[in-house]
Amino acid sequence: MTEVVATNQTIIVVGGGISGMTAALEAAECGKDVILIEKNPSLGGRVSQLYKYFPKLCHPACGMEINLRRIKANSRLRILTQAEVAAVSGDTGQYKVSVKLAPRYVNENCTACGACAQAVTSEFPDEFNYGLGKRKGAYLPFNMAYPQRYVIDPRLIGTPEAEKAKAACQYQAIDLTQKEQTLELQAGAIIWATGWKPYDANKIRPYGYDRIPNVITSVELERMMDAMGPTGGKILRPSDGKEAKNIAFIQCAGSRDHNYLKHCSRICCMASLKQTTYLRERYGDDGKATVYYIDIRAIDRFEDFYQKVQQDKNVTFIKSKVANIVLDKASGNPVLHGVNTEGYKRYSNPHDLVVLAVGMEPSMDFSKLAIKIAVNEEGFIEADPSNGGMFAAGCASDALDVNRAVQHATASALRAIQVVNRVARVEG
Ligand SMILES: Cc1cc2nc3c(=O)[nH]c(=O)nc-3n(C[C@H](O)[C@H](O)[C@H](O)COP(=O)(O)OP(=O)(O)OC[C@H]3O[C@@H](n4cnc5c(N)ncnc54)[C@H](O)[C@@H]3O)c2cc1C
Ligand code: SF4
Ligand code: SF4
């Protein structure tokens, strides 16, 4: 059984992405007791699924490594993975949080040797790679995963595959008897760092994501670029496995549209500008990118990045909201139709591959929680005094880039610290 001590001096952080890790670390490094709750088997959130991040184009592994060093050095921070909040009640300074812990079936003895994965044959769609490619039924979610501990997929339990995995383990690390647990925790303050999810591209019917194989999403392209990812770092067309060198980027795919998400997702312009640099990196002068946009939203210091991309002769910008995409069956090429509003010319442009710059929406539906939390029209948490000792951090509050998400998380940690300090003063 997992034992966790929590009091009304504890700060609970829900979500172990970059924002949750930041908020938890800032509070723990100020001497507060913090419990970080992550529903996935490892920390890192969606940043760990990026190939590189703008504006500096560094690998997410660098930022992750620094945070992991801080986590390992801090005894006040308790991390629970495969953990989800089931219910919250109470008020500022006296919350009760019920947390469901799913079994990993692998204990702390795991050395991440990988023998269990070699022993099993069953495979499942790989969540880390957005379903591109498969992973084994015994698996490490990704190379840099923290904790560095394998997971047995619950679908293996009760099958000979689970026994094969157990028999292959030399370290008594596999425990197939583990069961789901519910922990009842106290907390003085709660930080919601539950982040975002990509808008479901299937809903944007004119772009044919569900019908045209060579239409993919921006998040999938990030995974294709990873040398350890599903395509070994190559940009491959799903239809025929050929390398795609002439790529269209469609902006506002599902954003700024009354049929889908009304808001501007704020990041996807920069994400596509960044991804045009991936083509240069892979193919040099042979890579051609065309960005179809309504207007490019690259603010503050990102303007320099935009200007640099504009100077690349292999990147073309077409001011247009693409009307629809039609498949050219002979070539497998998606053909984009629309009107270039600079000159009002109709176009019908074939490309090897289309990347939809999908919008960002909140990953969690806060209206399903029994406790009331103020959200805006898009479902992101508002900074509202009625939320008491509950605060949002990062993309739970809005579509933000990493830099802004981290700043926001630091501010949330400070607010949560103020709450538990107030509680201590009143009780003292
Ligand atoms: C295509 C694309 C490319 C991008 N590229 C860049 C870039 O280059 N540079 C940049 O600065 N930004 C980039 N971004 C934005 C970046 O991804 C976000 O800023 C970042 O993910 C925000 O982190 P977060 O921790 O707030 O949210 P997330 O990364 O979404 O993390 C949230 C965490 O909470 C967990 N969680 C969710 N619900 C629950 C629950 N109920 N219980 C427990 N845990 C839960 C999730 O599993 C996850 O681990 C990009 C975005 C897109 C769409
Ligand atoms: S569970 Fe056992 S076999 Fe599997 S990676 Fe861990 S130590 Fe190796
Ligand atoms: S950031 Fe750019 S692509 Fe994304 S919704 Fe806003 S304008 Fe459209």
Side-chain angles (χ1 to χ4, degrees):
M1 286 290 285
T2 306
E3 300 286 340
V4 182
V5 178
T7 68
N8 62 9
Q9 281 297 292
T10 302
I11 296 171
I12 287 187
V13 180
V14 189
I18 191 74
S19 303
M21 283 194 290
T22 302
L25 278 164
E26 298 292 8
E29 287 172 0
C30 285
K32 299 297 164 195
D33 292 319
V34 181
I35 301 172
L36 177 58
I37 293 172
E38 167 56 51
K39 70 174 179 185
N40 284 335
S42 19
L43 300 183
R46 296 198 187 267
V47 171
S48 60
Q49 293 168 288
L50 300 176
Y51 169 56
K52 289 184 177 177
Y53 60 122
F54 62 72
K56 289 189 183 158
L57 298 182
C58 32
H59 288 277
C62 312
M64 188 72 190
E65 231 170 73
I66 296 166
N67 278 324
L68 291 183
R69 226 175 300 140
R70 289 170 72 192
I71 285 173
K72 285 172 193 161
N74 200 303
S75 58
R76 290 195 171 267
L77 175 54
R78 179 76 198 264
I79 292 169
L80 302 173
T81 51
Q82 295 187 280
E84 253 186 286
V85 171
V88 185
S89 59
D91 208 337
T92 312
Q94 44 168 346
Y95 290 107
K96 287 198 162 45
V97 182
S98 175
V99 178
K100 284 221 180 317
L101 279 184
R104 179 186 278 264
Y105 304 109
V106 174
N107 62 32
E108 289 81 0
N109 293 345
C110 178
T111 61
C113 71
C116 53
Q118 281 167 21
V120 305
T121 52
S122 51
E123 290 187 322
F124 301 96
D126 190 344
E127 303 86 353
F128 187 74
N129 290 325
Y130 293 103
L132 300 172
K134 302 218 161 165
R135 58 151 175 85
K136 288 286 190 72
Y139 67 104
L140 189 66
F142 58 103
N143 268 357
M144 282 282 295
Y146 180 85
Q148 270 284 303
R149 221 194 302 165
Y150 272 59
V151 186
I152 305 292
D153 192 295
R155 287 167 283 191
L156 255 52
I157 302 306
T159 71
E161 283 279 271
E163 298 302 333
K164 272 197 245 166
K166 186 174 160 69
C169 183
Q170 311 264 299
Y171 302 93
Q172 284 77 49
I174 297 184
D175 175 1
L176 300 175
T177 65
Q178 285 183 0
K179 297 270 178 295
E180 182 182 275
Q181 290 177 56
T182 303
L183 305 175
E184 303 296 345
L185 305 176
Q186 284 188 67
I190 301 172
I191 296 176
W192 295 97
T194 45
W196 62 279
K197 62 179 177 188
Y199 185 70
D200 179 2
N202 285 314
K203 292 184 185 161
I204 320 166
R205 301 297 301 159
Y207 292 166
Y209 176 74
D210 57 340
R211 307 181 299 281
I212 307 174
N214 295 333
V215 175
I216 65 166
T217 64
S218 49
V219 290
E220 289 169 341
L221 182 61
E222 294 288 335
R223 298 310 311 135
M224 278 191 185
M225 288 299 297
D226 184 351
M228 308 299 286
T231 55
K234 292 185 174 159
I235 308 175
L236 300 183
R237 297 189 352 147
S239 71
D240 51 17
K242 283 191 194 149
E243 280 194 282
K245 296 191 176 172
N246 170 8
I247 299 183
F249 293 88
I250 299 188
Q251 299 311 110
C252 305
S255 301
R256 299 174 70 193
D257 189 322
H258 280 259
N259 297 309
Y260 313 116
L261 300 173
K262 283 189 224 155
H263 62 269
C264 166
S265 294
R266 304 216 287 200
I267 304 307
C268 14
C269 274
M270 274 306 291
S272 294
L273 293 174
K274 171 187 71 172
Q275 291 180 342
T276 66
T277 72
Y278 293 173
L279 262 88
R280 257 261 159 239
E281 180 185 319
R282 280 290 173 279
Y283 305 125
D285 264 350
D286 289 342
K288 304 254 182 298
T290 309
V291 183
Y292 295 83
Y293 70 104
I294 304 175
D295 49 284
I296 295 287
R297 295 191 168 169
I299 51 164
D300 306 342
R301 63 203 175 116
F302 295 152
E303 184 68 21
D304 296 347
F305 194 101
Y306 177 27
Q307 284 175 7
K308 227 166 145 187
V309 173
Q310 278 179 310
Q311 281 157 19
D312 186 335
K313 64 180 175 32
N314 282 16
V315 182
T316 307
F317 289 86
I318 296 182
K319 191 167 172 64
S320 168
K321 184 171 168 86
V322 174
N324 62 8
I325 304 177
V326 176
L327 170 67
D328 175 42
K329 284 201 181 124
S331 61
N333 286 339
V335 182
L336 277 55
H337 294 271
V339 176
N340 183 340
T341 56
E342 287 174 328
Y344 287 90
K345 283 193 212 87
R346 281 188 183 284
Y347 59 80
S348 167
N349 293 345
H351 293 275
D352 295 344
L353 188 75
V354 171
V355 178
L356 302 178
V358 283
M360 295 161 75
E361 58 181 336
S363 82
M364 188 159 161
D365 181 356
F366 294 99
S367 67
K368 295 215 167 101
L369 280 176
I371 198 160
K372 200 174 155 355
I373 186 157
V375 293
N376 65 16
E377 213 188 325
E378 287 90 30
F380 292 109
I381 297 177
E382 296 267 43
D384 191 302
S386 70
N387 290 338
M390 297 193 292
F391 308 97
C395 286
S397 73
D398 213 336
L400 300 174
D401 60 72
V402 171
N403 186 33
R404 286 182 175 81
V406 165
Q407 287 174 15
H408 191 260
T410 304
S412 309
L414 183 59
R415 294 224 163 80
I417 291 168
Q418 286 167 348
V419 169
V420 292
N421 281 357
R422 237 177 0 249
V423 172
R425 272 203 306 275
V426 170
E427 289 186 347

